């Protein structure tokens, strides 16, 4: 009797095998990204305290005495951006400085039940300032934070003594980043991308991102050394940044009709070499739209003025 021939196991169809391999890779990536996020939070714990407004916790850092100065960071950033630049400590010599992690960044919450437009964020920050006993303040907003600063001034002009707007986006223009990140801001798909692919891609692109943010200016040594990169590459923060990228153009459309209503002193800071935003199309155009505003153009500087030229930004604050 002849023994039956041995046969190899039937191979999985190619598509199914690739799907399983892809799922395994995504799962492993999610585990590793979660591990790195937890490690980043252990290395950079909260530096301030928490203020709860309407069921949402905001992380705020407060220091100094004098007239209040509120600092609102840009998209994808956090309180440490102001600390690394040296602007926070310098301003705290003459001001009561309050830096805020905006919703979804640093250690502030970003509930999914709301669309976090500049107007929505302004209402939250307004409540936090009320809780902190801040009746009047100069508000400095950088980049996306400038939209929030404008919205806050429109909502509560009595509380905003002066506005300092740094490298802001005020007028709608074609933005490929809004299209690229739209899917990442969606429930479900956005979570999948943010926990798997986005952190890895962002790490690979980090040098190019810095070139766009700072160029044509060089990246300051203190930023390269001290900025907590892994904190901004956490999945939750990347998802928040994607959502804000998708909101830039519609938010500019919503705010644009109201710029002429700003009656407090407004200082507009911009680098003429900004590679992210048009100096003429944004800062100069806003200056023309707001009667009595002051335009401070930093020749040849890029988007991160508080890192590149902190003395110029501080002078704008103290002169506001």
């Amino acid at each position: 009797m002849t023994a039956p021939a041995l046969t190899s196991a039937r191979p999985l169809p190619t598509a199914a095998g690739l799907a399983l391999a892809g799922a395994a890779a995504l799962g492993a990536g999610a585990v590793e990204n979660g591990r790195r996020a937890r490690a980043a939070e252990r290395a950079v714990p909260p530096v301030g305290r928490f203020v709860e407004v309407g069921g949402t916790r905001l992380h705020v850092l407060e220091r100094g005495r004098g007239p209040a100065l509120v600092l609102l960071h840009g998209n994808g950033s956090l309180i440490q951006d102001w600390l690394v630049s040296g602007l926070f400590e310098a301003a705290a010599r003459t001001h009561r400085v309050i830096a805020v992690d905006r919703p979804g960044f640093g250690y502030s919450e970003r509930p999914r039940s709301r669309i976090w437009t500049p107007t929505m964020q302004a209402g939250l920050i307004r409540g936090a300032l009320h809780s902190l006993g801040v009746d009047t303040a100069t508000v400095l907003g950088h980049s996306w934070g400038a939209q929030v600063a404008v919205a806050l001034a429109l909502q509560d002009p009595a509380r905003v003594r002066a506005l300092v707007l740094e490298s802001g986006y005020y007028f709608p223009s074609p933005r490929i980043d809004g299209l690229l990140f739209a899917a990442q801001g969606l429930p479900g798909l956005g979570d999948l991308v943010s926990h798997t692919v986005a952190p890895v891609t962002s790490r690979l692109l980090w040098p190019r991102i810095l070139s766009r943010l700072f160029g044509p200016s060089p990246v300051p040594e203190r930023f390269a050394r001290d900025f907590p990169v892994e904190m901004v590459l956490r999945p939750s923060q990347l998802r928040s940044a994607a959502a804000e990228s998708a909101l830039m153009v519609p938010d500019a459309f919503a705010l644009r009709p109201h710029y002429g209503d700003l009656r407090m002193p407004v200082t507009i800071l911009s680098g003429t070499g900004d590679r992210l935003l048009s100096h003429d199309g944004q800062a100069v155009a806003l200056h023309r739209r707001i009667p009595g505003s002051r335009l401070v153009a930093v020749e040849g500087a890029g988007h991160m003025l508080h890192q590149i030229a902190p003395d110029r930004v501080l002078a704008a604050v103290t002169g506001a």
Side-chain angles (χ1 to χ4, degrees), residues 75-76 102 105 110 115-118 121 144 147 169 172-187 190 194 237-254:
N75 189 14
R102 293 193 297 101
F105 301 102
R110 190 183 180 98
I115 299 175
W116 289 101
T117 63
Q121 294 192 32
W144 215 95
Q147 289 189 326
Y169 180 77
S173 62
R175 300 288 306 183
I176 191 170
D177 52 346
L179 295 174
L180 291 175
F181 290 112
Q184 193 179 336
L186 296 174
S194 298
Q237 183 138 334
L238 289 174
R239 189 183 184 282
S240 297
E244 295 203 344
S245 293
L247 286 170
M248 281 183 68
V249 173
D251 289 338
F253 270 113

Side-chain angles (χ1 to χ4, degrees), residues 109-177:
E109 295 176 341
R110 190 183 180 98
R112 300 286 184 92
S113 57
R114 306 173 195 175
I115 299 175
W116 289 101
T117 63
T119 300
M120 182 66 73
Q121 294 192 32
L124 191 68
I125 292 164
R126 179 184 181 185
L129 295 178
H130 177 76
S131 296
L132 294 169
V134 178
D135 297 322
T136 60
T138 296
V139 180
L140 165 57
H142 172 242
S143 196
W144 215 95
Q147 289 189 326
V148 181
V150 169
L152 179 60
L154 290 169
Q155 276 186 22
D156 198 355
R159 197 181 305 270
V160 179
R161 187 186 68 80
L163 271 178
V164 180
L165 305 174
E166 177 198 344
S167 304
Y169 180 77
Y170 315 107
F171 298 97
S173 62
R175 300 288 306 183
I176 191 170
D177 52 346

Side-chain angles (χ1 to χ4, degrees), residues 29-30 32-34 36-37 184 190-206 209 229-230 232-239:
E32 173 61 12
N33 291 329
R36 293 184 76 144
Q184 193 179 336
D191 292 301
L192 176 64
V193 174
S194 298
H195 282 83
T196 56
V197 178
V200 177
T201 305
S202 299
R203 287 186 191 97
L204 292 174
L205 293 177
W206 188 247
I209 292 169
V229 178
E230 286 296 326
V232 305
L233 299 183
R234 293 173 300 162
S236 61
Q237 183 138 334
L238 289 174
R239 189 183 184 282

Side-chain angles (χ1 to χ4, degrees), residues 52-103:
E52 186 167 322
V53 181
T56 300
R57 284 205 321 167
L58 280 180
H59 178 226
V60 301
L61 176 63
E62 183 176 356
R63 199 165 295 164
R65 294 185 178 181
L69 169 65
V70 178
L71 303 178
L72 303 176
H73 61 75
N75 189 14
S77 197
L78 68 176
I79 283 174
Q80 280 76 7
D81 188 10
W82 303 112
L83 296 176
V84 171
S85 72
L87 182 70
F88 185 93
E89 292 295 343
R93 297 184 190 120
T94 55
H95 289 72
R96 177 190 178 190
V97 185
I98 301 166
V100 181
D101 275 338
R102 293 193 297 101

Side-chain angles (χ1 to χ4, degrees), residues 253-318:
F253 270 113
L255 290 172
R256 182 176 60 176
H258 306 291
Y259 295 142
D261 298 334
L262 296 169
R263 295 289 181 262
M264 68 285 296
V266 178
T267 301
I268 304 160
L269 288 153
S270 178
T272 62
D274 194 326
R275 292 178 177 173
L276 286 182
L277 303 173
S278 166
H279 168 71
D280 290 333
Q282 299 296 333
V284 175
L286 184 67
H287 174 52
R288 291 172 180 156
R289 184 68 66 90
I290 302 176
S293 63
R294 182 166 65 111
L295 176 64
V296 178
V298 183
E299 289 298 325
H303 191 68
M304 302 289 284
L305 288 181
H306 56 287
Q307 298 284 350
I308 299 163
D311 292 344
R312 298 291 296 274
V313 178
L314 184 62
V317 167
T318 56

